Amino acid sequence: MEKLSNPQVTIEIIKKYNFAFQKRFGQNFLIDGHVVEKIINAAEITKDDTVLEIGPGIGTMTQYLAESAGKVYAVEIDKNLLPVLEETLGEYDNVTVINEDILKVDINALLGEDAKNLKVVANLPYYITTPIIMGLFENHIPAKSITVMVQKEVAQRMQAKPGSKDYGALSLAVQYYAEPYIVANVPPNCFMPRPNVGSAVIRLTSWDEPPVKVTNEKLMFDLIRASFNQRRKTLQNGINNSPNLNFSKEQVIAALKEMGLSESIRGEALTLEQFAQLSNILDK
Ligand code: SAM
């Protein structure tokens, strides 16, 4: 069939199935072929790859993925889209549609052997961007890269460095697992219906080895969360006020001193390397 990235084709399908967009599922479908091609090119999909697509919608990007990848697994929560996908993806025999919530499905079990050459590609439902991305990393889904459409501000936060206003726990978490690169900004008129925020495509290329050595990952992430929970406070206060952490004021100040840092330093000034160092000192 003709490509759904042609807005006319999308409108016909929506009408034919009397499909009602669900705001609560973050449904904004792509209607711009150039944008879809940009995503596919940035993801560098080959026939050796298996692609996990989160939220195929009516299958707009899935049609392109099916043509470039070896296999595609598309996880969609909205069961009303299943009959639509059956028609729009009917001609491709390398696509498996799974009607599940991506936050609940066991991705490693789902993919089995196919997880070997895995890339994740998606136009994400924005209301759960962070849990989806963190879930992929924390569950050690062996994806070589994650190329996704997200809200523009979220892409900026993922890529931010210390000293920038966008820098925070998400920047550090993403950069611990991957190298972020913003591929393109995408305006609202490339979607149906139009979202009321700007969007961006970001590619996260997974590191083979984390860029810093930490003896206790959980402790490092607890420290990061504690220091950004109270942005206007000092790092020491943030850590000592956190219910998840049990260090005395003296211990934290001594650790900062060992690192050559002032006891009044704020979390937003620390690099990933410094959070790793702090965590390793406090873990002793
Ligand atoms: N990929 C399509 C496109 O680009 O046109 C649709 C993208 S739309 C922004 C997000 C899609 O994710 C919707 O189809 C929505 O139903 C689906 N979705 C929302 N929450 C989900 C969840 N928890 N698990 C799986 N899919 C979900």
Side-chain angles (χ1 to χ4, degrees):
M1 76 178 273
E2 221 192 310
K3 286 255 170 26
L4 292 155
S5 51
N6 174 347
Q8 222 34 59
V9 179
T10 284
I11 290 169
E12 277 164 25
I13 283 283
I14 300 279
K15 274 202 187 131
K16 177 171 171 190
Y17 288 87
N18 207 2
F19 178 73
F21 288 92
Q22 301 248 28
K23 230 187 166 146
R24 68 186 168 116
F25 287 146
Q27 291 177 341
N28 301 95
F29 299 161
L30 274 165
I31 46 165
D32 186 314
H34 297 295
V35 174
V36 179
E37 276 165 20
K38 244 184 217 170
I39 299 172
I40 307 280
N41 290 340
E44 295 178 294
I45 310 288
T46 72
K47 282 284 166 198
D48 290 331
D49 294 320
T50 294
V51 171
L52 169 66
E53 187 189 10
I54 299 159
I58 55 174
T60 311
M61 195 148 68
T62 328
Q63 292 181 328
Y64 288 76
L65 291 169
E67 284 170 9
S68 359
K71 277 190 187 173
V72 182
Y73 289 84
V75 178
E76 174 56 61
I77 196 169
D78 186 352
K79 66 173 180 351
N80 292 333
L81 287 165
L82 299 182
V84 183
L85 288 167
E86 234 166 79
E87 173 172 350
T88 60
L89 303 175
E91 67 198 78
Y92 304 106
D93 55 12
N94 59 344
V95 180
T96 310
V97 175
I98 302 104
N99 182 208
E100 286 273 7
D101 178 344
I102 191 66
L103 297 178
K104 295 197 180 134
V105 71
D106 180 344
I107 298 172
N108 284 315
L110 174 71
L111 298 174
E113 277 293 293
D114 287 335
K116 247 187 274 146
N117 281 316
L118 182 66
K119 289 174 179 161
V120 175
V121 182
N123 169 16
L124 287 178
Y126 294 172
Y127 73 107
I128 44 171
T129 299
T130 302
I132 291 177
I133 298 288
M134 292 317 297
L136 293 171
F137 286 138
E138 284 168 2
N139 295 316
H140 299 284
I141 305 303
K144 296 198 162 56
S145 63
I146 299 172
T147 306
V148 282
M149 179 87 72
V150 298
Q151 196 176 327
K152 190 176 165 194
E153 282 72 22
V154 176
Q156 287 166 342
R157 277 163 48 205
M158 288 179 178
Q159 211 193 21
K161 293 289 179 191
S164 117
K165 68 168 177 24
D166 296 322
Y167 186 61
L170 182 65
S171 327
L172 284 154
V174 163
Q175 292 168 34
Y176 176 69
Y177 292 105
E179 183 179 22
Y181 168 70
I182 294 182
V183 176
N185 288 324
V186 181
N189 62 6
C190 297
F191 303 85
M192 182 189 299
R194 295 180 185 198
N196 42 25
V197 292
S199 302
V201 179
I202 190 164
R203 173 175 158 144
L204 311 174
T205 310
S206 307
W207 302 116
D208 290 330
E209 291 288 328
V212 293
K213 290 246 174 312
V214 269
T215 49
N216 183 342
E217 275 185 15
K218 181 178 177 305
L219 173 60
M220 182 178 75
F221 283 114
D222 282 344
L223 290 167
I224 289 172
R225 267 188 293 269
S227 61
F228 287 98
N229 262 348
Q230 300 175 298
R231 246 183 200 272
R232 256 154 267 282
K233 295 243 169 94
T234 63
L235 174 64
Q236 178 265 314
N237 258 319
I239 293 173
N240 288 127
N241 290 342
S242 161
N244 299 323
L245 294 166
N246 233 332
F247 298 107
S248 70
K249 191 172 169 187
E250 290 67 35
Q251 277 175 303
V252 178
I253 292 176
L256 290 173
K257 199 164 172 203
E258 188 178 332
M259 293 170 66
L261 297 175
S262 148
E263 58 184 78
S264 62
I265 196 161
R266 291 180 185 192
E268 64 214 44
L270 265 65
T271 61
L272 175 61
E273 289 71 22
Q274 288 172 314
F275 271 110
Q277 199 187 349
L278 178 65
S279 166
N280 291 348
I281 294 173
L282 290 172
D283 193 38
K284 270 187 223 146

